[in-house]
Amino acid sequence: MRLDSPAEVLNRAADALEGRPAGPEPRDDQWIYTRTVRAAQESRGGAPSTRIEYGPDEWVRYDDSAAAEHGEDSDHRTAREVYRAAAALPDDPARLLAKIRSIYPTGDTTEDPPETEAQHSFRAMGLMVGSYPLPPAALARLYRAMATIPGVRVTDHLVKDAAGREAIAITRKEDGIHEQREILLDPHDFGYAGLRFVVAEDYEYALSDGAVKLQTIEFKAGQILTSEARTRAAVVDSRGEKP
């Protein structure tokens, strides 16, 4: 697949999504089933290695009952909250980005220094497009707005997600650090595939114990730090049911 500018890729994805019929919103008594694969890099004796974790099957009620389990996470939104917020998003990209920043506000207050508006927009975008399910037209609007965020790029090649599948990586370097956040899209249906954090530039990190330097770890551009792939997602009628 030929990858061009983020605007070309994301608008192409939006065009494809806008032509798809939207199914009915899930009922409150239905469940969202997901399965996730995670990969993280760890250093053993100075040599980096990758640890793969296959997450368990998960079921979450579509209604808002799960909100109480995440009371201290002000960025947590239930599937129903995100579905309805996404369906009501405006077409104008600037207004849309302002809206999703208000839906996922944590970065405004917890970072020191606070997130820039562009970084906040991209982080919030990853949270919203990673929710399931989303109406195709809403996802199309999100992609068109994502293309307008300053600093957003697309890799010139397909990458591998944590499950080993090919994916389109929409990237933005994190402000003030050496990493970039990557939102992964399926190159066939343009659905959400996962999220990665990747080293954006070579750097060294010194581990120390007080004044004593213990070890220097080298990081190379392109090195994958963490990666998460959603391998299954569906609406089901009961907990324990699989599609």
PDB file of all heavy atoms in Angstrom, residues 10-11 13-23 82-92 96 125 128-129 133-146 189-191:
ATOM      1  N   LEU A  10      -5.531   9.760   5.626  1.00  0.00           N
ATOM      2  CA  LEU A  10      -6.683   9.850   6.516  1.00  0.00           C
ATOM      3  C   LEU A  10      -7.948  10.256   5.776  1.00  0.00           C
ATOM      4  O   LEU A  10      -9.046   9.783   6.098  1.00  0.00           O
ATOM      5  CB  LEU A  10      -6.380  10.818   7.661  1.00  0.00           C
ATOM      6  CG  LEU A  10      -5.377  10.256   8.683  1.00  0.00           C
ATOM      7  CD1 LEU A  10      -4.820  11.369   9.567  1.00  0.00           C
ATOM      8  CD2 LEU A  10      -6.017   9.172   9.540  1.00  0.00           C
ATOM      9  N   ASN A  11      -7.829  11.109   4.773  1.00  0.00           N
ATOM     10  CA  ASN A  11      -9.011  11.473   3.992  1.00  0.00           C
ATOM     11  C   ASN A  11      -9.458  10.312   3.107  1.00  0.00           C
ATOM     12  O   ASN A  11     -10.658  10.119   2.878  1.00  0.00           O
ATOM     13  CB  ASN A  11      -8.738  12.726   3.165  1.00  0.00           C
ATOM     14  CG  ASN A  11      -8.787  13.989   4.018  1.00  0.00           C
ATOM     15  OD1 ASN A  11      -9.724  14.212   4.775  1.00  0.00           O
ATOM     16  ND2 ASN A  11      -7.776  14.824   3.910  1.00  0.00           N
ATOM     17  N   ALA A  13      -9.130   7.183   4.013  1.00  0.00           N
ATOM     18  CA  ALA A  13      -9.818   6.322   4.968  1.00  0.00           C
ATOM     19  C   ALA A  13     -11.217   6.855   5.267  1.00  0.00           C
ATOM     20  O   ALA A  13     -12.192   6.093   5.345  1.00  0.00           O
ATOM     21  CB  ALA A  13      -9.001   6.222   6.254  1.00  0.00           C
ATOM     22  N   ALA A  14     -11.321   8.178   5.446  1.00  0.00           N
ATOM     23  CA  ALA A  14     -12.622   8.784   5.735  1.00  0.00           C
ATOM     24  C   ALA A  14     -13.592   8.581   4.578  1.00  0.00           C
ATOM     25  O   ALA A  14     -14.783   8.293   4.785  1.00  0.00           O
ATOM     26  CB  ALA A  14     -12.444  10.271   6.024  1.00  0.00           C
ATOM     27  N   ASP A  15     -13.112   8.714   3.339  1.00  0.00           N
ATOM     28  CA  ASP A  15     -13.972   8.494   2.176  1.00  0.00           C
ATOM     29  C   ASP A  15     -14.546   7.080   2.182  1.00  0.00           C
ATOM     30  O   ASP A  15     -15.727   6.876   1.884  1.00  0.00           O
ATOM     31  CB  ASP A  15     -13.186   8.718   0.881  1.00  0.00           C
ATOM     32  CG  ASP A  15     -12.840  10.179   0.630  1.00  0.00           C
ATOM     33  OD1 ASP A  15     -13.467  11.054   1.257  1.00  0.00           O
ATOM     34  OD2 ASP A  15     -11.936  10.448  -0.188  1.00  0.00           O
ATOM     35  N   ALA A  16     -13.706   6.106   2.508  1.00  0.00           N
ATOM     36  CA  ALA A  16     -14.160   4.710   2.532  1.00  0.00           C
ATOM     37  C   ALA A  16     -15.188   4.476   3.637  1.00  0.00           C
ATOM     38  O   ALA A  16     -16.185   3.774   3.444  1.00  0.00           O
ATOM     39  CB  ALA A  16     -12.967   3.779   2.711  1.00  0.00           C
ATOM     40  N   LEU A  17     -14.956   5.072   4.791  1.00  0.00           N
ATOM     41  CA  LEU A  17     -15.854   4.865   5.930  1.00  0.00           C
ATOM     42  C   LEU A  17     -17.206   5.521   5.719  1.00  0.00           C
ATOM     43  O   LEU A  17     -18.244   4.993   6.148  1.00  0.00           O
ATOM     44  CB  LEU A  17     -15.203   5.406   7.200  1.00  0.00           C
ATOM     45  CG  LEU A  17     -14.037   4.580   7.735  1.00  0.00           C
ATOM     46  CD1 LEU A  17     -13.211   5.393   8.708  1.00  0.00           C
ATOM     47  CD2 LEU A  17     -14.547   3.304   8.392  1.00  0.00           C
ATOM     48  N   GLU A  18     -17.214   6.686   5.062  1.00  0.00           N
ATOM     49  CA  GLU A  18     -18.477   7.411   4.889  1.00  0.00           C
ATOM     50  C   GLU A  18     -19.470   6.640   4.032  1.00  0.00           C
ATOM     51  O   GLU A  18     -20.672   6.877   4.102  1.00  0.00           O
ATOM     52  CB  GLU A  18     -18.197   8.785   4.281  1.00  0.00           C
ATOM     53  CG  GLU A  18     -17.633   9.762   5.297  1.00  0.00           C
ATOM     54  CD  GLU A  18     -17.207  11.083   4.690  1.00  0.00           C
ATOM     55  OE1 GLU A  18     -16.987  11.111   3.456  1.00  0.00           O
ATOM     56  OE2 GLU A  18     -17.087  12.064   5.441  1.00  0.00           O
ATOM     57  N   GLY A  19     -18.974   5.708   3.217  1.00  0.00           N
ATOM     58  CA  GLY A  19     -19.874   4.935   2.377  1.00  0.00           C
ATOM     59  C   GLY A  19     -20.435   3.698   3.047  1.00  0.00           C
ATOM     60  O   GLY A  19     -21.214   2.960   2.426  1.00  0.00           O
ATOM     61  N   ARG A  20     -20.084   3.462   4.294  1.00  0.00           N
ATOM     62  CA  ARG A  20     -20.547   2.254   4.970  1.00  0.00           C
ATOM     63  C   ARG A  20     -21.807   2.529   5.785  1.00  0.00           C
ATOM     64  O   ARG A  20     -21.895   3.541   6.479  1.00  0.00           O
ATOM     65  CB  ARG A  20     -19.450   1.713   5.891  1.00  0.00           C
ATOM     66  CG  ARG A  20     -18.242   1.227   5.125  1.00  0.00           C
ATOM     67  CD  ARG A  20     -17.172   0.713   6.038  1.00  0.00           C
ATOM     68  NE  ARG A  20     -15.933   0.505   5.288  1.00  0.00           N
ATOM     69  CZ  ARG A  20     -14.746   0.354   5.821  1.00  0.00           C
ATOM     70  NH1 ARG A  20     -14.633   0.377   7.141  1.00  0.00           N
ATOM     71  NH2 ARG A  20     -13.682   0.171   5.067  1.00  0.00           N
ATOM     72  N   PRO A  21     -22.754   1.621   5.741  1.00  0.00           N
ATOM     73  CA  PRO A  21     -23.970   1.815   6.537  1.00  0.00           C
ATOM     74  C   PRO A  21     -23.665   1.678   8.029  1.00  0.00           C
ATOM     75  O   PRO A  21     -22.814   0.885   8.435  1.00  0.00           O
ATOM     76  CB  PRO A  21     -24.888   0.692   6.051  1.00  0.00           C
ATOM     77  CG  PRO A  21     -23.961  -0.365   5.542  1.00  0.00           C
ATOM     78  CD  PRO A  21     -22.782   0.372   4.959  1.00  0.00           C
ATOM     79  N   ALA A  22     -24.350   2.451   8.820  1.00  0.00           N
ATOM     80  CA  ALA A  22     -24.177   2.377  10.275  1.00  0.00           C
ATOM     81  C   ALA A  22     -25.199   1.404  10.848  1.00  0.00           C
ATOM     82  O   ALA A  22     -26.391   1.494  10.551  1.00  0.00           O
ATOM     83  CB  ALA A  22     -24.355   3.753  10.898  1.00  0.00           C
ATOM     84  N   GLY A  23     -24.751   0.480  11.632  1.00  0.00           N
ATOM     85  CA  GLY A  23     -25.658  -0.425  12.307  1.00  0.00           C
ATOM     86  C   GLY A  23     -26.337   0.273  13.475  1.00  0.00           C
ATOM     87  O   GLY A  23     -26.015   1.422  13.806  1.00  0.00           O
ATOM     88  N   VAL A  82     -18.853   7.295  24.726  1.00  0.00           N
ATOM     89  CA  VAL A  82     -18.035   7.631  23.561  1.00  0.00           C
ATOM     90  C   VAL A  82     -18.848   7.512  22.282  1.00  0.00           C
ATOM     91  O   VAL A  82     -18.757   8.370  21.392  1.00  0.00           O
ATOM     92  CB  VAL A  82     -16.782   6.742  23.490  1.00  0.00           C
ATOM     93  CG1 VAL A  82     -15.964   7.077  22.259  1.00  0.00           C
ATOM     94  CG2 VAL A  82     -15.936   6.926  24.741  1.00  0.00           C
ATOM     95  N   TYR A  83     -19.656   6.466  22.164  1.00  0.00           N
ATOM     96  CA  TYR A  83     -20.472   6.283  20.956  1.00  0.00           C
ATOM     97  C   TYR A  83     -21.354   7.504  20.720  1.00  0.00           C
ATOM     98  O   TYR A  83     -21.419   8.045  19.613  1.00  0.00           O
ATOM     99  CB  TYR A  83     -21.309   5.023  21.100  1.00  0.00           C
ATOM    100  CG  TYR A  83     -22.127   4.664  19.872  1.00  0.00           C
ATOM    101  CD1 TYR A  83     -21.656   3.721  18.969  1.00  0.00           C
ATOM    102  CD2 TYR A  83     -23.358   5.268  19.624  1.00  0.00           C
ATOM    103  CE1 TYR A  83     -22.397   3.384  17.838  1.00  0.00           C
ATOM    104  CE2 TYR A  83     -24.098   4.947  18.502  1.00  0.00           C
ATOM    105  CZ  TYR A  83     -23.611   4.001  17.610  1.00  0.00           C
ATOM    106  OH  TYR A  83     -24.346   3.691  16.483  1.00  0.00           O
ATOM    107  N   ARG A  84     -22.032   7.945  21.759  1.00  0.00           N
ATOM    108  CA  ARG A  84     -22.961   9.066  21.596  1.00  0.00           C
ATOM    109  C   ARG A  84     -22.238  10.388  21.395  1.00  0.00           C
ATOM    110  O   ARG A  84     -22.683  11.239  20.624  1.00  0.00           O
ATOM    111  CB  ARG A  84     -23.904   9.121  22.795  1.00  0.00           C
ATOM    112  CG  ARG A  84     -24.816   7.891  22.839  1.00  0.00           C
ATOM    113  CD  ARG A  84     -25.806   7.909  23.974  1.00  0.00           C
ATOM    114  NE  ARG A  84     -26.676   6.743  23.919  1.00  0.00           N
ATOM    115  CZ  ARG A  84     -27.650   6.479  24.776  1.00  0.00           C
ATOM    116  NH1 ARG A  84     -27.894   7.329  25.786  1.00  0.00           N
ATOM    117  NH2 ARG A  84     -28.406   5.404  24.644  1.00  0.00           N
ATOM    118  N   ALA A  85     -21.096  10.553  22.084  1.00  0.00           N
ATOM    119  CA  ALA A  85     -20.307  11.783  21.875  1.00  0.00           C
ATOM    120  C   ALA A  85     -19.751  11.822  20.461  1.00  0.00           C
ATOM    121  O   ALA A  85     -19.752  12.876  19.807  1.00  0.00           O
ATOM    122  CB  ALA A  85     -19.178  11.848  22.897  1.00  0.00           C
ATOM    123  N   ALA A  86     -19.263  10.684  19.965  1.00  0.00           N
ATOM    124  CA  ALA A  86     -18.703  10.630  18.614  1.00  0.00           C
ATOM    125  C   ALA A  86     -19.778  10.900  17.573  1.00  0.00           C
ATOM    126  O   ALA A  86     -19.536  11.602  16.579  1.00  0.00           O
ATOM    127  CB  ALA A  86     -18.053   9.274  18.375  1.00  0.00           C
ATOM    128  N   ALA A  87     -20.951  10.344  17.778  1.00  0.00           N
ATOM    129  CA  ALA A  87     -22.037  10.536  16.816  1.00  0.00           C
ATOM    130  C   ALA A  87     -22.452  12.001  16.718  1.00  0.00           C
ATOM    131  O   ALA A  87     -22.960  12.443  15.671  1.00  0.00           O
ATOM    132  CB  ALA A  87     -23.228   9.675  17.208  1.00  0.00           C
ATOM    133  N   ALA A  88     -22.225  12.781  17.782  1.00  0.00           N
ATOM    134  CA  ALA A  88     -22.640  14.187  17.816  1.00  0.00           C
ATOM    135  C   ALA A  88     -21.512  15.157  17.462  1.00  0.00           C
ATOM    136  O   ALA A  88     -21.703  16.375  17.534  1.00  0.00           O
ATOM    137  CB  ALA A  88     -23.188  14.524  19.203  1.00  0.00           C
ATOM    138  N   LEU A  89     -20.348  14.651  17.089  1.00  0.00           N
ATOM    139  CA  LEU A  89     -19.223  15.539  16.789  1.00  0.00           C
ATOM    140  C   LEU A  89     -19.506  16.411  15.574  1.00  0.00           C
ATOM    141  O   LEU A  89     -20.121  15.956  14.607  1.00  0.00           O
ATOM    142  CB  LEU A  89     -17.953  14.711  16.533  1.00  0.00           C
ATOM    143  CG  LEU A  89     -17.313  14.048  17.752  1.00  0.00           C
ATOM    144  CD1 LEU A  89     -16.205  13.098  17.303  1.00  0.00           C
ATOM    145  CD2 LEU A  89     -16.758  15.090  18.716  1.00  0.00           C
ATOM    146  N   PRO A  90     -19.014  17.648  15.593  1.00  0.00           N
ATOM    147  CA  PRO A  90     -19.224  18.532  14.438  1.00  0.00           C
ATOM    148  C   PRO A  90     -18.331  18.143  13.271  1.00  0.00           C
ATOM    149  O   PRO A  90     -17.324  17.448  13.440  1.00  0.00           O
ATOM    150  CB  PRO A  90     -18.837  19.911  14.990  1.00  0.00           C
ATOM    151  CG  PRO A  90     -17.852  19.621  16.080  1.00  0.00           C
ATOM    152  CD  PRO A  90     -18.307  18.325  16.697  1.00  0.00           C
ATOM    153  N   ASP A  91     -18.679  18.607  12.071  1.00  0.00           N
ATOM    154  CA  ASP A  91     -17.860  18.341  10.887  1.00  0.00           C
ATOM    155  C   ASP A  91     -16.594  19.180  10.871  1.00  0.00           C
ATOM    156  O   ASP A  91     -15.553  18.728  10.387  1.00  0.00           O
ATOM    157  CB  ASP A  91     -18.660  18.622   9.609  1.00  0.00           C
ATOM    158  CG  ASP A  91     -19.768  17.604   9.381  1.00  0.00           C
ATOM    159  OD1 ASP A  91     -19.576  16.430   9.750  1.00  0.00           O
ATOM    160  OD2 ASP A  91     -20.821  17.990   8.845  1.00  0.00           O
ATOM    161  N   ASP A  92     -16.661  20.394  11.379  1.00  0.00           N
ATOM    162  CA  ASP A  92     -15.512  21.297  11.336  1.00  0.00           C
ATOM    163  C   ASP A  92     -14.366  20.726  12.179  1.00  0.00           C
ATOM    164  O   ASP A  92     -14.544  20.471  13.378  1.00  0.00           O
ATOM    165  CB  ASP A  92     -15.904  22.673  11.872  1.00  0.00           C
ATOM    166  CG  ASP A  92     -14.735  23.621  11.917  1.00  0.00           C
ATOM    167  OD1 ASP A  92     -14.263  24.041  10.852  1.00  0.00           O
ATOM    168  OD2 ASP A  92     -14.262  23.914  13.042  1.00  0.00           O
ATOM    169  N   LEU A  96     -14.273  20.074  16.209  1.00  0.00           N
ATOM    170  CA  LEU A  96     -14.238  18.677  16.627  1.00  0.00           C
ATOM    171  C   LEU A  96     -13.090  18.429  17.598  1.00  0.00           C
ATOM    172  O   LEU A  96     -13.268  17.786  18.636  1.00  0.00           O
ATOM    173  CB  LEU A  96     -14.119  17.772  15.398  1.00  0.00           C
ATOM    174  CG  LEU A  96     -14.158  16.262  15.645  1.00  0.00           C
ATOM    175  CD1 LEU A  96     -14.746  15.536  14.434  1.00  0.00           C
ATOM    176  CD2 LEU A  96     -12.790  15.686  15.967  1.00  0.00           C
ATOM    177  N   MET A 125      -7.461  11.974  20.592  1.00  0.00           N
ATOM    178  CA  MET A 125      -7.888  11.283  19.385  1.00  0.00           C
ATOM    179  C   MET A 125      -7.633   9.778  19.513  1.00  0.00           C
ATOM    180  O   MET A 125      -8.478   8.953  19.143  1.00  0.00           O
ATOM    181  CB  MET A 125      -7.131  11.848  18.187  1.00  0.00           C
ATOM    182  CG  MET A 125      -7.580  11.301  16.847  1.00  0.00           C
ATOM    183  SD  MET A 125      -9.258  11.788  16.373  1.00  0.00           S
ATOM    184  CE  MET A 125      -9.023  13.533  16.033  1.00  0.00           C
ATOM    185  N   MET A 128     -10.299   8.235  21.700  1.00  0.00           N
ATOM    186  CA  MET A 128     -11.635   8.129  21.114  1.00  0.00           C
ATOM    187  C   MET A 128     -11.683   7.099  19.988  1.00  0.00           C
ATOM    188  O   MET A 128     -12.585   6.264  19.953  1.00  0.00           O
ATOM    189  CB  MET A 128     -12.129   9.482  20.620  1.00  0.00           C
ATOM    190  CG  MET A 128     -13.523   9.410  19.998  1.00  0.00           C
ATOM    191  SD  MET A 128     -14.373  10.991  19.866  1.00  0.00           S
ATOM    192  CE  MET A 128     -15.123  11.101  21.508  1.00  0.00           C
ATOM    193  N   VAL A 129     -10.725   7.120  19.068  1.00  0.00           N
ATOM    194  CA  VAL A 129     -10.798   6.166  17.954  1.00  0.00           C
ATOM    195  C   VAL A 129     -10.553   4.739  18.437  1.00  0.00           C
ATOM    196  O   VAL A 129     -10.939   3.781  17.763  1.00  0.00           O
ATOM    197  CB  VAL A 129      -9.829   6.533  16.806  1.00  0.00           C
ATOM    198  CG1 VAL A 129     -10.091   7.924  16.291  1.00  0.00           C
ATOM    199  CG2 VAL A 129      -8.379   6.375  17.220  1.00  0.00           C
ATOM    200  N   PRO A 133     -18.016   0.223  20.009  1.00  0.00           N
ATOM    201  CA  PRO A 133     -18.003   0.533  18.586  1.00  0.00           C
ATOM    202  C   PRO A 133     -18.107   2.032  18.349  1.00  0.00           C
ATOM    203  O   PRO A 133     -18.435   2.786  19.275  1.00  0.00           O
ATOM    204  CB  PRO A 133     -19.265  -0.177  18.088  1.00  0.00           C
ATOM    205  CG  PRO A 133     -20.217  -0.068  19.265  1.00  0.00           C
ATOM    206  CD  PRO A 133     -19.363  -0.169  20.498  1.00  0.00           C
ATOM    207  N   LEU A 134     -17.841   2.469  17.116  1.00  0.00           N
ATOM    208  CA  LEU A 134     -18.048   3.849  16.691  1.00  0.00           C
ATOM    209  C   LEU A 134     -18.812   3.837  15.374  1.00  0.00           C
ATOM    210  O   LEU A 134     -18.548   2.992  14.508  1.00  0.00           O
ATOM    211  CB  LEU A 134     -16.712   4.578  16.479  1.00  0.00           C
ATOM    212  CG  LEU A 134     -15.876   4.914  17.710  1.00  0.00           C
ATOM    213  CD1 LEU A 134     -14.570   5.578  17.276  1.00  0.00           C
ATOM    214  CD2 LEU A 134     -16.636   5.831  18.668  1.00  0.00           C
ATOM    215  N   PRO A 135     -19.730   4.780  15.166  1.00  0.00           N
ATOM    216  CA  PRO A 135     -20.400   4.860  13.870  1.00  0.00           C
ATOM    217  C   PRO A 135     -19.384   5.187  12.778  1.00  0.00           C
ATOM    218  O   PRO A 135     -18.490   6.016  12.985  1.00  0.00           O
ATOM    219  CB  PRO A 135     -21.400   6.015  14.059  1.00  0.00           C
ATOM    220  CG  PRO A 135     -21.537   6.184  15.539  1.00  0.00           C
ATOM    221  CD  PRO A 135     -20.220   5.788  16.125  1.00  0.00           C
ATOM    222  N   PRO A 136     -19.451   4.542  11.606  1.00  0.00           N
ATOM    223  CA  PRO A 136     -18.475   4.807  10.542  1.00  0.00           C
ATOM    224  C   PRO A 136     -18.363   6.283  10.181  1.00  0.00           C
ATOM    225  O   PRO A 136     -17.252   6.787   9.960  1.00  0.00           O
ATOM    226  CB  PRO A 136     -19.006   3.976   9.370  1.00  0.00           C
ATOM    227  CG  PRO A 136     -19.789   2.882  10.001  1.00  0.00           C
ATOM    228  CD  PRO A 136     -20.406   3.482  11.223  1.00  0.00           C
ATOM    229  N   ALA A 137     -19.471   6.992  10.122  1.00  0.00           N
ATOM    230  CA  ALA A 137     -19.423   8.413   9.756  1.00  0.00           C
ATOM    231  C   ALA A 137     -18.689   9.226  10.820  1.00  0.00           C
ATOM    232  O   ALA A 137     -17.983  10.186  10.499  1.00  0.00           O
ATOM    233  CB  ALA A 137     -20.838   8.957   9.554  1.00  0.00           C
ATOM    234  N   ALA A 138     -18.850   8.845  12.077  1.00  0.00           N
ATOM    235  CA  ALA A 138     -18.139   9.540  13.155  1.00  0.00           C
ATOM    236  C   ALA A 138     -16.644   9.286  13.054  1.00  0.00           C
ATOM    237  O   ALA A 138     -15.832  10.206  13.231  1.00  0.00           O
ATOM    238  CB  ALA A 138     -18.672   9.099  14.504  1.00  0.00           C
ATOM    239  N   LEU A 139     -16.258   8.044  12.764  1.00  0.00           N
ATOM    240  CA  LEU A 139     -14.843   7.726  12.620  1.00  0.00           C
ATOM    241  C   LEU A 139     -14.250   8.483  11.434  1.00  0.00           C
ATOM    242  O   LEU A 139     -13.110   8.954  11.500  1.00  0.00           O
ATOM    243  CB  LEU A 139     -14.663   6.217  12.436  1.00  0.00           C
ATOM    244  CG  LEU A 139     -13.248   5.664  12.532  1.00  0.00           C
ATOM    245  CD1 LEU A 139     -12.581   6.060  13.840  1.00  0.00           C
ATOM    246  CD2 LEU A 139     -13.255   4.145  12.381  1.00  0.00           C
ATOM    247  N   ALA A 140     -15.016   8.645  10.375  1.00  0.00           N
ATOM    248  CA  ALA A 140     -14.553   9.425   9.223  1.00  0.00           C
ATOM    249  C   ALA A 140     -14.277  10.866   9.620  1.00  0.00           C
ATOM    250  O   ALA A 140     -13.253  11.446   9.241  1.00  0.00           O
ATOM    251  CB  ALA A 140     -15.592   9.366   8.107  1.00  0.00           C
ATOM    252  N   ARG A 141     -15.171  11.468  10.412  1.00  0.00           N
ATOM    253  CA  ARG A 141     -14.944  12.850  10.864  1.00  0.00           C
ATOM    254  C   ARG A 141     -13.704  12.936  11.740  1.00  0.00           C
ATOM    255  O   ARG A 141     -12.934  13.907  11.659  1.00  0.00           O
ATOM    256  CB  ARG A 141     -16.176  13.368  11.618  1.00  0.00           C
ATOM    257  CG  ARG A 141     -17.383  13.619  10.749  1.00  0.00           C
ATOM    258  CD  ARG A 141     -18.435  14.450  11.473  1.00  0.00           C
ATOM    259  NE  ARG A 141     -19.008  13.767  12.613  1.00  0.00           N
ATOM    260  CZ  ARG A 141     -20.060  12.944  12.541  1.00  0.00           C
ATOM    261  NH1 ARG A 141     -20.624  12.687  11.374  1.00  0.00           N
ATOM    262  NH2 ARG A 141     -20.543  12.379  13.634  1.00  0.00           N
ATOM    263  N   LEU A 142     -13.502  11.941  12.588  1.00  0.00           N
ATOM    264  CA  LEU A 142     -12.322  11.925  13.450  1.00  0.00           C
ATOM    265  C   LEU A 142     -11.044  11.865  12.615  1.00  0.00           C
ATOM    266  O   LEU A 142     -10.070  12.577  12.892  1.00  0.00           O
ATOM    267  CB  LEU A 142     -12.387  10.741  14.406  1.00  0.00           C
ATOM    268  CG  LEU A 142     -13.401  10.868  15.550  1.00  0.00           C
ATOM    269  CD1 LEU A 142     -13.678   9.510  16.176  1.00  0.00           C
ATOM    270  CD2 LEU A 142     -12.900  11.846  16.606  1.00  0.00           C
ATOM    271  N   TYR A 143     -11.025  11.034  11.597  1.00  0.00           N
ATOM    272  CA  TYR A 143      -9.830  10.926  10.759  1.00  0.00           C
ATOM    273  C   TYR A 143      -9.545  12.237  10.016  1.00  0.00           C
ATOM    274  O   TYR A 143      -8.388  12.653   9.891  1.00  0.00           O
ATOM    275  CB  TYR A 143      -9.994   9.787   9.755  1.00  0.00           C
ATOM    276  CG  TYR A 143      -9.889   8.404  10.357  1.00  0.00           C
ATOM    277  CD1 TYR A 143     -10.257   7.276   9.628  1.00  0.00           C
ATOM    278  CD2 TYR A 143      -9.413   8.197  11.653  1.00  0.00           C
ATOM    279  CE1 TYR A 143     -10.162   5.996  10.164  1.00  0.00           C
ATOM    280  CE2 TYR A 143      -9.314   6.928  12.194  1.00  0.00           C
ATOM    281  CZ  TYR A 143      -9.694   5.829  11.450  1.00  0.00           C
ATOM    282  OH  TYR A 143      -9.587   4.569  11.986  1.00  0.00           O
ATOM    283  N   ARG A 144     -10.583  12.869   9.490  1.00  0.00           N
ATOM    284  CA  ARG A 144     -10.359  14.140   8.785  1.00  0.00           C
ATOM    285  C   ARG A 144      -9.794  15.197   9.738  1.00  0.00           C
ATOM    286  O   ARG A 144      -8.914  15.980   9.369  1.00  0.00           O
ATOM    287  CB  ARG A 144     -11.662  14.633   8.155  1.00  0.00           C
ATOM    288  CG  ARG A 144     -12.187  13.748   7.037  1.00  0.00           C
ATOM    289  CD  ARG A 144     -13.267  14.435   6.224  1.00  0.00           C
ATOM    290  NE  ARG A 144     -13.991  13.494   5.388  1.00  0.00           N
ATOM    291  CZ  ARG A 144     -13.554  13.005   4.239  1.00  0.00           C
ATOM    292  NH1 ARG A 144     -12.359  13.364   3.788  1.00  0.00           N
ATOM    293  NH2 ARG A 144     -14.306  12.164   3.535  1.00  0.00           N
ATOM    294  N   ALA A 145     -10.275  15.210  10.965  1.00  0.00           N
ATOM    295  CA  ALA A 145      -9.758  16.167  11.948  1.00  0.00           C
ATOM    296  C   ALA A 145      -8.346  15.795  12.376  1.00  0.00           C
ATOM    297  O   ALA A 145      -7.494  16.666  12.585  1.00  0.00           O
ATOM    298  CB  ALA A 145     -10.688  16.226  13.155  1.00  0.00           C
ATOM    299  N   MET A 146      -8.053  14.497  12.508  1.00  0.00           N
ATOM    300  CA  MET A 146      -6.724  14.057  12.904  1.00  0.00           C
ATOM    301  C   MET A 146      -5.665  14.570  11.937  1.00  0.00           C
ATOM    302  O   MET A 146      -4.559  14.932  12.337  1.00  0.00           O
ATOM    303  CB  MET A 146      -6.665  12.531  12.971  1.00  0.00           C
ATOM    304  CG  MET A 146      -5.408  11.985  13.654  1.00  0.00           C
ATOM    305  SD  MET A 146      -5.192  10.183  13.476  1.00  0.00           S
ATOM    306  CE  MET A 146      -6.707   9.571  14.193  1.00  0.00           C
ATOM    307  N   ASP A 189      -9.651  -2.165   6.189  1.00  0.00           N
ATOM    308  CA  ASP A 189     -10.961  -1.570   6.483  1.00  0.00           C
ATOM    309  C   ASP A 189     -10.842  -0.238   7.212  1.00  0.00           C
ATOM    310  O   ASP A 189     -11.848   0.389   7.523  1.00  0.00           O
ATOM    311  CB  ASP A 189     -11.829  -2.538   7.291  1.00  0.00           C
ATOM    312  CG  ASP A 189     -11.251  -2.840   8.683  1.00  0.00           C
ATOM    313  OD1 ASP A 189     -10.311  -2.170   9.131  1.00  0.00           O
ATOM    314  OD2 ASP A 189     -11.768  -3.779   9.328  1.00  0.00           O
ATOM    315  N   PHE A 190      -9.616   0.199   7.498  1.00  0.00           N
ATOM    316  CA  PHE A 190      -9.318   1.489   8.143  1.00  0.00           C
ATOM    317  C   PHE A 190      -9.873   1.585   9.560  1.00  0.00           C
ATOM    318  O   PHE A 190     -10.043   2.674  10.107  1.00  0.00           O
ATOM    319  CB  PHE A 190      -9.815   2.665   7.288  1.00  0.00           C
ATOM    320  CG  PHE A 190      -9.187   2.710   5.927  1.00  0.00           C
ATOM    321  CD1 PHE A 190      -9.923   2.396   4.795  1.00  0.00           C
ATOM    322  CD2 PHE A 190      -7.850   3.043   5.774  1.00  0.00           C
ATOM    323  CE1 PHE A 190      -9.347   2.424   3.538  1.00  0.00           C
ATOM    324  CE2 PHE A 190      -7.261   3.071   4.525  1.00  0.00           C
ATOM    325  CZ  PHE A 190      -8.011   2.759   3.399  1.00  0.00           C
ATOM    326  N   GLY A 191     -10.150   0.454  10.173  1.00  0.00           N
ATOM    327  CA  GLY A 191     -10.538   0.458  11.573  1.00  0.00           C
ATOM    328  C   GLY A 191      -9.323   0.610  12.478  1.00  0.00           C
ATOM    329  O   GLY A 191      -8.173   0.476  12.045  1.00  0.00           O
TER     330      GLY A 191
END
